[in-house]
């Protein structure tokens, strides 16, 4: 049964408090979810006309709230107890404070979420948030070129059954306040100077570069699809044959890979003209996007599966063309398979490291393989030790995705079989692979 919280609000029907609740979640650090069609008891209440109600909701959010909310909300149908209800997913906005248009930027128009209730903001807090408001969004940065065309973008919209009319530059927010093409338009144009790099290396480091491909100088949507296709090809399937069955598995789980790749592009800080980079090693894939955490966002916020899009205009277009399914869903899909340790977050960069899956046995069954080589695990470890003789057991564990317990067992077996020798002390020595 659903219950209200700091991130969840329940309403039995659409009423005049919609804008107030949406504003509060936009101003909330983690965004939130508003359900229409759920009573105070947590059970569904029938909505007479779902489609018409959803259209009314979208229209009111777009037209009755400032600054622009486009790209910051998503309206979907969800089934609870076999009944259809409306789920409105609201991202935390970067241009706080958000307010009800006809009430103005005042305590009567600005709201915030406190526990399970919605409260008016104080004048002091409104002034503080306004002073911190981020104005240097891509929407306000002029395009380096103004002779832009958008044939590719129009095709992607047409494929989704959508048409871009003569005013699409306004509706997609591709213009600066002065009415010229902005940097969002530049990224989505048929021709631009932005290129996404995909590098492939022979080993576990960057010493031997095998491939260095550039995908770009075209619409960012087209470039994203090229990179997705490239990584799909690289994400080959490995097979394990046992006495009873054949198990096939990709090097990286496909759904988290896709979500992390799109996140790296759509949340990249393009204002510094540094595009995301995708790298393939012999034991892992690394996706690096520029920008670090958004101002005011903590690591807990980042992993909470709430949405705080850096580039809401891009997010909106990516969602329109089907590259993004639902706001906030990407992180949850990644964390359903991998844990938080695959992320490295620094001041200016966010890196996702996917260790290749080498058909490791489930926890608790590690001792079932006495030789440690049924899955080729010992060969994998030998290859890494040969390339990085000084590597630690902890780093080995991170590289191949095995538990440190399993790493210790394989190392012990390799030593006992004379395949490796430890030279020097445990702390300062290194591994020698015996030929």
């Amino acid at each position: 049964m659903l219950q209200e919280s700091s991130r969840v609000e329940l309403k039995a029907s659409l009423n005049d408090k919609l804008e107030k609740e949406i504003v509060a979640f936009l101003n909330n650090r983690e965004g939130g979810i508003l359900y229409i069609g759920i009573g105070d008891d947590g059970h569904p209440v029938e909505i007479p006309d779902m489609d018409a109600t959803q259209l009314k909701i979208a229209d009111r959010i777009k037209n009755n709230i400032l600054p622009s909310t486009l790209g910051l909300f998503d309206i979907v149908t969800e089934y609870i107890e076999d009944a259809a209800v409306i789920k409105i997913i609201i991202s935390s906005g970067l241009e706080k404070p958000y307010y009800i248009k006809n009430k103005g930027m005042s305590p009567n128009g600005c709201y915030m979420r406190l526990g399970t209730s919605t409260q008016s903001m104080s004048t002091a807090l409104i002034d503080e948030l306004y002073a911190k408001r981020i104005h240097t969004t891509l929407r306000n940065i002029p395009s380096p070129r103004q002779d832009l065309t958008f044939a590719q973008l129009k095709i992607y919209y047409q494929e989704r059954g959508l048409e871009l009319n003569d005013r699409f530059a306004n509706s997609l927010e591709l213009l600066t306040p002065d009415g010229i093409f902005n940097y969002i338009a530049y990224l989505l144009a048929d021709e631009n100077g932005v290129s996404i790099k995909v590098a492939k290396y022979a080993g576990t480091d960057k010493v031997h570069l095998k491939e260095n491909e550039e995908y770009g100088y075209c619409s960012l949507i087209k470039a994203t699809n090229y990179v997705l296709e490239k990584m799909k090809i690289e994400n080959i399937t490995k097979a394990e044959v046992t006495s009873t069955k054949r198990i096939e598995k990709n090097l990286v789980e496909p759904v988290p890979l896709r979500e992390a790749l799109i996140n790296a592009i759509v949340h990249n800080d393009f204002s510094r003209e540094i595009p995301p980079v995708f790298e393939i090693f012999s034991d892992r894939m690394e996706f690096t996007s520029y920008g670090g955490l958004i101002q005011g966002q903590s690591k807990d916020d980042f992993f909470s599966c709430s949405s705080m899009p850096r580039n809401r205009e891009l997010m909106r277009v990516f969602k329109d063309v089907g590259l993004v399914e639902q706001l906030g869903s990407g992180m949850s899909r990644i964390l359903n398979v991998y844990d938080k340790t695959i992320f490295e977050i620094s001041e200016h960069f966010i890196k996702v490291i996917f260790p290749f899956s080498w058909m490791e046995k489930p926890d608790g069954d590690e001792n079932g393989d006495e030789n440690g080589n049924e899955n080729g695990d010992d060969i994998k470890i030998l290859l890494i030790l040969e390339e990085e003789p000084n590597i630690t057991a902890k780093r080995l564990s991170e590289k191949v995705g095995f538990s440190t317990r399993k790493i210790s067992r394989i190392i012990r077996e390799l030593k006992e079989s004379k395949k490796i020798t430890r030279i020097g002390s445990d702390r300062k020595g290194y591994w020698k692979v015996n030929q």
Side-chain angles (χ1 to χ4, degrees):
M1 184 178 69
L2 285 172
Q3 292 183 327
E4 292 189 341
S5 68
S6 61
R7 292 197 63 237
V8 176
E9 177 71 19
L10 309 177
K11 296 291 182 188
S13 60
L14 179 61
N15 57 34
D16 58 3
K17 294 182 179 179
L18 173 72
E19 289 84 353
K20 175 180 174 180
E21 304 295 349
I22 299 295
V23 163
F25 282 132
L26 288 166
N27 287 324
N28 190 24
R29 195 175 69 177
E30 296 180 320
I33 297 172
L34 173 60
Y35 285 96
I36 306 291
I38 300 288
D40 292 336
D41 59 1
H43 297 292
V45 177
E46 183 179 357
I47 300 174
D49 191 333
M50 287 285 291
D51 291 340
T53 302
Q54 289 189 8
L55 287 173
K56 287 179 184 177
I57 291 169
D59 184 67
R60 286 172 61 176
I61 296 175
K62 289 177 184 176
N63 297 314
N64 297 346
I65 296 173
L66 289 174
S68 174
T69 59
L70 292 176
L72 292 177
F73 70 94
D74 200 3
I75 303 172
V76 297
T77 301
E78 186 167 300
Y79 287 87
I80 297 175
E81 298 177 13
D82 296 325
V85 301
I86 297 172
K87 180 180 182 181
I88 310 169
I89 305 162
I90 307 105
S91 296
S92 176
L94 287 182
E95 298 179 276
K96 300 178 181 71
Y98 290 83
Y99 58 94
I100 300 173
K101 188 175 181 180
N102 62 5
K103 301 289 186 180
M105 197 186 299
S106 67
N108 290 327
C110 294
Y111 294 91
M112 60 189 294
R113 192 77 177 172
L114 289 176
T116 60
S117 66
T118 297
Q119 303 289 333
S120 294
M121 281 189 182
S122 67
T123 302
L125 181 56
I126 293 170
D127 292 343
E128 179 184 345
L129 289 173
Y130 183 74
K132 294 178 180 178
R133 178 184 284 181
I134 299 173
H135 294 284
T136 56
T137 64
L138 295 182
R139 185 178 74 256
N140 297 329
I141 300 174
S143 167
R145 292 172 49 181
Q146 292 298 314
D147 58 335
L148 304 179
T149 59
F150 301 92
Q152 296 164 9
L153 184 64
K154 290 178 180 179
I155 290 172
Y156 283 111
Y157 269 80
Q158 288 169 359
E159 289 176 348
R160 299 284 293 180
L162 304 171
E163 292 291 336
L164 294 180
N165 60 28
D166 293 339
R167 291 184 54 80
F168 79 92
N170 273 314
S171 62
L172 297 184
E173 299 184 272
L174 305 185
L175 304 176
T176 69
D178 297 328
I180 63 174
F181 284 127
N182 59 26
Y183 209 87
I184 296 290
Y186 182 65
L187 292 172
L188 297 173
D190 296 329
E191 295 182 6
N192 56 48
V194 179
S195 178
I196 299 175
K197 179 181 176 182
V198 178
K200 184 176 181 179
Y201 301 95
T204 59
D205 54 31
K206 299 183 181 183
V207 175
H208 300 294
L209 180 65
K210 291 177 66 176
E211 295 179 23
N212 186 20
E213 300 187 28
E214 301 275 344
Y215 298 92
Y217 310 112
C218 59
S219 170
L220 189 63
I221 302 298
K222 186 175 182 179
T224 299
N225 279 302
Y226 278 150
V227 177
L228 281 169
E229 189 60 32
K230 169 65 175 175
M231 302 309 282
K232 184 178 179 180
I233 293 170
E234 293 294 338
N235 191 24
I236 61 175
T237 302
K238 289 277 185 178
E240 176 190 9
V241 180
T242 69
S243 59
T244 58
K245 59 183 176 179
R246 173 187 174 92
I247 303 173
E248 293 188 348
K249 194 172 184 181
N250 292 98
L251 296 177
V252 175
E253 290 294 328
V255 171
L257 182 148
R258 174 187 169 84
E259 297 296 337
L261 190 154
I262 291 174
N263 279 351
I265 294 174
V266 78
H267 294 298
N268 189 76
D269 185 357
F270 289 97
S271 66
R272 301 295 181 89
E273 300 185 349
I274 302 175
V277 175
F278 301 91
E279 296 172 301
I280 306 161
F281 297 87
S282 63
D283 63 339
R284 68 194 187 279
M285 291 183 184
E286 293 188 0
F287 303 167
T288 305
S289 58
Y290 180 75
L293 296 175
I294 296 170
Q295 183 179 354
Q297 184 183 42
S298 67
K299 287 188 178 181
D300 287 341
D301 297 334
F302 178 80
F303 290 119
S304 69
C305 300
S306 59
S307 177
M308 186 185 287
R310 185 188 302 277
N311 305 307
R312 64 170 183 80
E313 301 88 356
L314 279 182
M315 176 67 80
R316 182 262 180 97
V317 173
F318 271 57
K319 186 174 182 298
D320 285 349
V321 301
L323 286 170
V324 172
E325 291 187 17
Q326 184 175 302
L327 292 178
S329 63
M331 182 61 71
S332 62
R333 289 175 178 171
I334 296 170
L335 296 179
N336 279 342
V337 181
Y338 297 92
D339 62 34
K340 299 175 184 178
T341 59
I342 68 168
F343 289 88
E344 290 185 2
I345 302 174
S346 63
E347 182 180 357
H348 297 297
F349 294 92
I350 293 177
K351 180 179 291 188
V352 188
I353 304 171
F354 288 110
F356 287 163
S357 171
W358 295 92
M359 307 307 294
E360 182 179 8
K361 289 189 185 316
D363 288 340
D365 191 36
E366 292 182 350
N367 293 326
D369 176 11
E370 294 182 358
N371 296 322
N373 60 7
E374 181 180 336
N375 303 315
D377 296 341
D378 58 343
I379 297 174
K380 183 64 180 174
I381 298 299
L382 281 171
L383 289 172
I384 295 175
L385 292 180
E386 193 168 28
E387 291 186 357
E388 301 181 57
N390 299 102
I391 194 168
T392 64
K394 181 180 178 182
R395 181 60 181 150
L396 261 176
S397 172
E398 294 171 353
K399 273 182 171 287
V400 295
F402 297 165
S403 65
T404 53
R405 178 187 169 198
K406 180 168 184 175
I407 292 293
S408 298
R409 178 174 59 80
I410 295 174
I411 291 291
R412 184 182 69 251
E413 292 169 353
L414 290 173
K415 287 172 65 178
E416 291 173 353
S417 62
K418 309 296 184 184
K419 292 180 180 179
I420 60 173
T421 303
R422 184 68 180 179
I423 308 298
S425 67
D426 289 342
R427 184 178 178 185
K428 296 184 178 181
Y430 64 92
W431 292 107
K432 178 185 176 184
V433 177
N434 301 317
Q435 303 297 330

